[in-house]
Amino acid sequence: SRRGGEARPRLALPNALPQEQRSVKRYLIGSCSMFDAESPYARLLGREMTDFLMEQHVMGDFLGVFIAPDGRLIEPYAPSMTVSHVPSTDLRELAKRDDTIVLLTASGRHKARLIRAVIEAGVCNSVITDLDTACSVVGLEQQKDSDDIVAHAPDGCDVLV
């Protein structure tokens, strides 16, 4: 649809069905954030784990699951640690279910690679973001002096404009 002359892309993720076609029983909602060794989150994790995550070159995390630029999901938690996160294996299974929405909420073009990695890892089945971030995530480019949009979506994602 168009509002104010601006095309509004909608990202349809794998296994996602329109709301009227599913009987949703569970919602998992989380944001993703870029990982910074100087952040309060890194201080909470401690120097040893932060150093490990930096050695792994993690970009950021989604619901406590860290993501490396090559798509690896890293969960560096020891059994003795008290952590509040859903393991990536469980997130993948939940994201495949028609009765569960695993929602990623994030914005900012600087998070586009991280958001795309979360989608490609299959640990979410719905995304809420702003137009600029969505365009960056799926490779949409507004053509100069035109209302046309060119899409370069990740494998497994459909883009509806």
Side-chain angles (χ1 to χ4, degrees):
S1 68
R2 295 192 182 268
R3 185 169 49 179
E6 188 174 299
R8 308 287 295 183
R10 191 176 84 202
L11 177 64
L13 298 163
N15 305 311
L17 296 172
Q19 184 64 30
E20 61 274 5
Q21 293 180 17
R22 61 164 80 187
S23 175
V24 177
K25 296 177 183 162
R26 284 175 214 91
Y27 295 88
L28 276 79
I29 302 169
S31 64
C32 66
S33 61
M34 304 305 290
F35 188 70
D36 177 356
E38 303 304 318
S39 70
Y41 188 29
R43 286 194 297 277
L44 179 69
L45 293 172
R47 178 56 44 205
E48 186 176 337
M49 189 176 298
T50 296
D51 289 346
F52 170 77
L53 293 169
M54 295 305 291
E55 289 168 9
Q56 298 299 309
H57 306 288
V58 297
M59 293 186 292
D61 79 292
F62 172 61
L63 290 171
V65 176
F66 294 92
I67 299 138
D70 62 7
R72 285 178 299 123
L73 301 179
I74 301 168
E75 298 167 83
Y77 308 109
S80 62
M81 295 179 73
T82 302
V83 295
S84 177
H85 93 288
V86 180
S88 60
T89 53
D90 293 347
L91 285 174
R92 279 191 180 121
E93 289 304 311
L94 289 166
K96 292 177 186 175
R97 296 178 58 124
D98 290 338
D99 66 348
T100 304
I101 292 177
V102 182
L103 178 65
L104 164 64
T105 62
S107 66
R109 294 177 83 100
H110 66 286
K111 293 184 181 180
R113 283 185 58 212
L114 178 58
I115 295 167
R116 187 178 178 114
V118 170
I119 294 167
E120 291 177 342
V123 293
C124 74
N125 59 16
S126 300
V127 176
I128 295 177
T129 191
D130 60 272
L131 179 61
D132 286 341
T133 304
C135 288
S136 292
V137 169
V138 299
L140 292 174
E141 299 172 16
Q142 181 95 29
Q143 300 300 304
K144 287 188 178 197
D145 303 321
S146 171
D147 285 338
D148 294 337
I149 292 183
V150 178
H152 308 286
D155 291 339
C157 282
D158 298 318
V159 179
L160 304 175
V161 179

